[in-house]
Amino acid sequence: MNTLRRFGVALIMIWMVVTLTFFMIRLMPGNPIFDAYQTLLQQGVPSQQALVQIHILYDVYPNQSVVVQYLLYMWHLLHGNFGTSVVYTGRPVLPIILAAAPWTLLLVSIGLTISFFIGLLLGVLIALHRNTWFDNLMSQLASIFHGIPNYITGFVFLYFFTVILNWFPFGNIYNPAIHPGFSYGFVASVAYHSVLPIAAYVFGAFGTWTLSTKSAAMAVLGDDFTMADRIRGLTSEQQLEHLVHNSVLPLFTGFVLSLGIMFGGAVFIEETFSIPGLGYLVATSTAQRDYPVMQGVFLVLAGAVIVANFLADTLYSRIDPRIRV
Amino acid sequence: MLACNDVVKQFAIRRTWGSRQVTVVNRVSVSVEASHVLCIVGESGCGKTTLGKVLAGLLAPTLGSVTVDGTLLYHPGNKAWEREALKIQLIHQDPFSTLNPVHTVREELSLPLLHHQIVPKSLVGEECEHLLTRTGLDPKVVIDKYPHELSGGQRQRVVLARALSVRPRYIVADEAVSMVDVSSRLIMLDLFLEIAQKERIGLVFITHDFGLARYVALEGTIAVMYLGRVVEFGGTETVIHQPRHPYTKVLLSSIPPLQAGDDFKIDKVYPRSFDVPSLELLPPGCVFEPRCPYAFDRCQSALPVLSTVVHEPGHQVACYLEDEETAVV
Ligand SMILES: Nc1ncnc2c1ncn2[C@@H]1O[C@H](COP(=O)(O)OP(=O)(O)OP(=O)(O)O)[C@@H](O)[C@H]1O
Ligand SMILES: [Mg+2]
């Protein structure tokens, strides 16, 4: 029942996001359709004919009221129609987004997972070696990396490893000379191109996970049940297993939420490394005022956060017995 | 016998400039035999929990030794003592944080049974149920529950069952009933005593409440601690009816009488001050001197040692008044 309610809330949130982005985008200065209309008028095309031309080109009537546009948009959206791009004339938005999403998903899920496990490992080690040089050093490092935004890390990596050392390729996510498909060459090329952006993610995120794991693990170590394990003569492996299990629980929600949020965080890294993912699409479509694409991408990004939130809530009650809903 | 000999426990406390040592337990020697009860009584912060952990094999003493049935604990280079330390189980004050929130009662109980192969694998389930029954719980009701689904009293029983699962010879119960509802405290205490008696378990009962101590250790011994030291030690009856140390008298005076003509009548003694000195800045002489209503000049110069009261074997006090009295007699 609760799951159902949460699902309903998630749907309503998505609707709100759709509506808000629709109107916000139209409040932004610069309007390619209006510009095109003006250009046609200046070229001496009669206004009636210009409108028809614009409609053929962009599938919109520039003088239509915003409310009507909104209703039309919603109607189309409900039928899975995200509209067509106004920059790449005639290309439907959905395939554009579907082509970009896998790259973002790939980078975010791998980057997040790696950083999470590095953070978990370091956090537990720090908690176990409290007040030693290891704790001091690693805690400092984690705080520093926690503070550096990932586009800076990305930029430094890019410059150092491609420009100076020339170890990794610059830009794109695979070698355009290779035909995309499930061939060894293609997968290898993608892997090669992903190393730097994933490394940039990991460096941007592991500090946060380290610090949260550390505080969670220290709380667990301070709990008496850790002592109870010891006094019953359980091995250090068993004690460690309990420590990790209990420390991971409070991090789980954050992990799933990050999955959603990092779709958006991909903007900077994807721009830095010119990866044709969702973040890149956000940047380019915004620069070009490609309304339908912008709308579509924002919807997907916000949707990812909302879905992640829903998943986090629903799954957490399954892995932590203390939460029963 | 579980005994500690001249145990000192120091902690380093961090200060802005470096760190300094505080002595939390200072030259304490106490012991308890199988099926006997030893109560450790003292105000908050006097080092009871620390002493309990040292006795239970959890915290190595800075100086001194702990032995259980002749085996030396904390033996550097010989890990075998850890196996022996299983004989001593600690029951902690807070039944909320001492159970792992993500384990069911069954998991909690069966883990050590499996690990130490206390019973054959096929009998583990049965043993869990048996342990719960022994502590007065209905296995069917509680065995698959998580700690948060249990009441405080139920949890404390699970904690007791868990301690019993490794078949201990000694139990150190640190304020074991202070978090239990007052209404079920007595029942819990009786359960402790009954099980200890039946299994011939030696019980170290740590409490700040003289009333409880008196109930639990009726035939046992009481050690009164003050700022890390034992200031008086003796049979329960003796300590309660003929207290010698002013601090013991102060503690006894603070028990509210349950009814008129309650069976022990001592002259009420009140301390000169209610401030307990900091462990970091102890007085040069007797640690109780700043609060003692009977203090005289000698008390300020040197610390009295724990020594047997004249004509009362087994009754020890660390107070100069004893010398004065014997001198007068
Ligand atoms: N790990 C530690 N590091 C530094 N100081 C400690 C540590 N553990 C205990 N202490 C100090 O030792 C003193 C005695 O602590 P302990 O917990 O043994 O007292 P207690 O008699 O059990 O008190 P209570 O009745 O409040 O439980 C306290 O002043 C405490 O601050
Ligand atoms: Mg204590």
Side-chain angles (χ1 to χ4, degrees), chain A residues 131 223-225 227-228 230-235 238 242 245-246 249 320-322 324, chain B residues 14 53 58 86 89-90 92 97-98 100-103 108 111-112 115-116 146 148 162:
Chain A
N131 293 329
D223 269 331
D224 293 325
F225 61 79
M227 200 172 75
R230 253 178 78 203
I231 195 150
R232 284 178 300 159
L234 300 187
T235 60
Q238 282 167 319
H242 292 169
H245 183 175
N246 284 281
L249 289 180
D320 191 335
R322 280 167 293 187
R324 277 273 171 268
Chain B
R14 302 234 278 186
K53 285 183 184 169
L58 278 170
L86 267 184
Q89 288 295 303
L90 181 82
H92 195 269
S97 84
T98 186
N100 191 327
V102 301
H103 289 171
E108 195 72 42
L111 217 60
H115 178 64
H116 300 294
Y146 287 97
H148 70 273
R162 181 177 71 180

Side-chain angles (χ1 to χ4, degrees), chain B residues 122-176:
Chain B
S122 54
L123 293 181
V124 164
E126 224 169 279
E127 176 72 9
C128 290
E129 289 176 15
H130 175 59
L131 286 166
L132 291 172
T133 316
R134 255 193 354 180
T135 51
L137 289 165
D138 182 355
K140 282 194 286 304
V141 178
V142 297
I143 197 157
D144 286 314
K145 286 197 169 158
Y146 287 97
H148 70 273
E149 299 168 313
L150 302 174
S151 73
Q154 284 174 324
R155 281 182 224 214
Q156 199 56 298
R157 286 168 198 263
V158 172
V159 173
L160 179 59
R162 181 177 71 180
L164 294 174
S165 70
V166 294
R167 313 246 160 113
R169 303 310 314 141
Y170 302 93
I171 286 182
V172 178
D174 184 3
E175 314 258 10

Side-chain angles (χ1 to χ4, degrees), chain B residues 30 62 74 100 164 187 189 243 252 300:
Chain B
V30 286
T62 314
Y74 311 105
N100 191 327
L164 294 174
I187 304 172
L189 284 179
L252 284 167
Q300 290 178 4

Side-chain angles (χ1 to χ4, degrees), chain B residues 48-49 93 174-175:
Chain B
K48 306 182 298 286
T49 297
Q93 156 172 27
D174 184 3
E175 314 258 10

